[in-house]
Every structure is written in structure tokens, then in C-alpha cells.
Amino acid sequence: MSSPEIASLSWGQMKVKGCSTTYKDCKVWPGGSRTWDWRETGTNHSPGVQPADLEEVVKKGVKTVVIGRGMSEALQVPSSTVDYLKKNGIDVLVLQTEEAVKEYNALAAQGVKVGGVFHSTC
């Protein structure tokens, strides 16, 4: 199963190819995507992305996770979250969201089992 292409990104809006939903923040993995609702894990810009935000994506068997920190990189990614991924044998890229989407789409196009979490505003 391949990772879906992120078809478009603009402030506060993301579209995933093959999905009719427009996301503000989203999670993607091989074969699917859904809204990334920060309230599920109590995530805020600081301390930022928690391992709990990534568990669902990790369980999909990804080899690489791309984290989009927002258009102005306001979303933090603590070292504990990066360590969590590395301990699970997963490569991780932490980037500004526009750059993160480019990297994610490039990896997906190469057939890499890539997943991601993307913040589309600040």
C-alpha cells in the first residue's frame, strides 16, 4: 500500500489525493489519512508533538515519519519525540510544513513507506 500524495497546501488547508476532506492539520500513512485533532492528546505549540500524536502513524508500519512544524515553525518537536521514533527504527524529518510536504511527497513518489503529521497554520 502506498502513501497518498498531499495534493495541496495553503494556510489552514491541506488536501490529500483521493480524499474529499479538507484538513487543517492532518496525519497521513500508507493507505490513508485523517484529521490530526490536537485535543486527542492535549498537544499545544509548546511542548509540541508528543509520541502519542505519532503512535497511530507508527502502527501503520512506516519507515520514515515527516513532521511539519507549521508555516512559521511555531509547533515544537521535543527530543523525546524524535527519540521515540528512532527507538522504533523509524527515520524522522522535522521541517517547516511547506518543506515537509515536499519531502513527504518525494518519498511517497519513490515508494517509501512514509507517514507524517502536518500543521498547516502558524
Side-chain angles (χ1 to χ4, degrees), residues 10-77:
S10 60
W11 184 274
Q13 296 189 335
M14 297 183 71
K15 296 283 286 173
V16 175
K17 195 171 185 178
C19 180
S20 60
T21 304
T22 299
Y23 300 116
K24 177 178 172 258
D25 299 321
C26 75
K27 295 182 178 189
V28 290
W29 58 81
S33 65
R34 77 170 183 93
T35 293
W36 177 20
D37 183 350
W38 291 15
R39 292 172 294 194
E40 292 173 359
T41 56
T43 294
N44 281 300
H45 288 101
S46 180
V49 183
Q50 303 300 304
D53 294 307
L54 300 167
E55 285 174 357
E56 178 180 18
V57 175
V58 167
K59 287 178 183 170
K60 303 293 184 181
V62 296
K63 301 295 178 214
T64 302
V65 167
V66 181
I67 300 173
R69 293 188 49 210
M71 299 302 215
S72 305
E73 298 184 85
L75 179 60
Q76 301 301 304
V77 181

Side-chain angles (χ1 to χ4, degrees), residues 3-9 14-17 28 66 93 97-112 114-115 118:
S3 298
E5 175 188 348
I6 296 173
S8 66
L9 167 68
M14 297 183 71
K15 296 283 286 173
V16 175
K17 195 171 185 178
V28 290
V66 181
L93 297 168
T97 296
E98 289 162 309
E99 293 303 314
V101 166
K102 286 179 195 166
E103 286 294 324
Y104 168 87
N105 279 341
L107 291 165
Q110 293 166 24
V112 174
V114 61
F118 301 95

